[in-house]
Amino acid sequence: MQNEWILIGLASGLLIPFSAVLSTSLDSKSTVTSEAVENGSFVSYNKKDAPLDLRVTLGVKGEAYTQDFILCGLEELRRSPAMVGFSTPWGYHDKLTLADYKFERKPESGSHLLIVTLHLVEVLPLRPALGAKLSAAPAKTSPNPPPPRRRRATG
């Protein structure tokens, strides 16, 4: 069976596969203004999306060198400003960053099992304000230009 739980470093191409999923938690929120809205205005102008917040606990089964590779890769992705992708059986999420991770090894699960909890947060693109121009502002001109200079008559 093909592994369907993979963390992908989009800039580095680093692939971190996981053996099993133990739990997932996904927060997908929007906020809507509680103030009065101008008559005829669109609700979408007053609704803001919050970034996707995903927490997933995964298991990695393998020898010590495999587990060390996973932990070194996670640390590299956590420190990096580059984005990550996360592949699940239900789809693919990109534009994420690895905010933090936790891991544990328990005697009762044996030395061949590493349990990792990832905290992935969506990076939302910056959108210009309504009506804002992306180009540089034109140079300001004075409404009353100074009068032309007169030359002194020499003679």
Side-chain angles (χ1 to χ4, degrees), residues 60-103:
V60 178
K61 190 173 183 181
E63 300 295 327
Y65 63 86
T66 302
Q67 294 178 19
D68 287 342
F69 170 79
I70 299 285
L71 293 174
C72 288
L74 289 173
E75 185 61 18
E76 178 184 325
L77 293 175
R78 185 195 62 79
R79 289 179 178 265
S80 169
M83 301 229 255
V84 299
F86 189 59
S87 177
T88 71
W90 306 285
Y92 177 75
H93 302 281
D94 61 352
K95 298 182 183 130
L96 300 171
T97 185
L98 180 59
D100 64 78
Y101 68 94
K102 297 175 186 174
F103 73 93

Side-chain angles (χ1 to χ4, degrees), residues 112-132:
H112 295 296
L113 182 62
L114 173 68
I115 298 171
V116 180
T117 300
L118 306 177
H119 180 202
L120 300 162
V121 179
E122 181 181 27
V123 177
L124 295 175
L126 184 63
R127 290 182 232 149
L130 184 63

Side-chain angles (χ1 to χ4, degrees), residues 10-112:
L10 298 180
S12 64
L14 178 66
L15 299 175
I16 301 178
F18 296 94
S19 308
V21 62
L22 304 174
S23 69
T24 59
S25 170
L26 175 74
D27 286 335
S28 181
K29 299 177 185 177
S30 294
T31 57
V32 180
T33 183
S34 60
E35 304 296 320
V37 178
E38 182 180 340
N39 191 17
S41 127
F42 295 104
V43 173
S44 62
Y45 294 149
N46 300 293
K47 183 177 181 181
K48 295 183 180 171
D49 285 335
L52 185 78
D53 190 301
L54 174 65
R55 292 179 193 267
V56 59
T57 302
L58 300 153
V60 178
K61 190 173 183 181
E63 300 295 327
Y65 63 86
T66 302
Q67 294 178 19
D68 287 342
F69 170 79
I70 299 285
L71 293 174
C72 288
L74 289 173
E75 185 61 18
E76 178 184 325
L77 293 175
R78 185 195 62 79
R79 289 179 178 265
S80 169
M83 301 229 255
V84 299
F86 189 59
S87 177
T88 71
W90 306 285
Y92 177 75
H93 302 281
D94 61 352
K95 298 182 183 130
L96 300 171
T97 185
L98 180 59
D100 64 78
Y101 68 94
K102 297 175 186 174
F103 73 93
E104 60 184 51
R105 292 183 176 117
K106 295 182 177 180
E108 59 267 16
S109 57
S111 63
H112 295 296

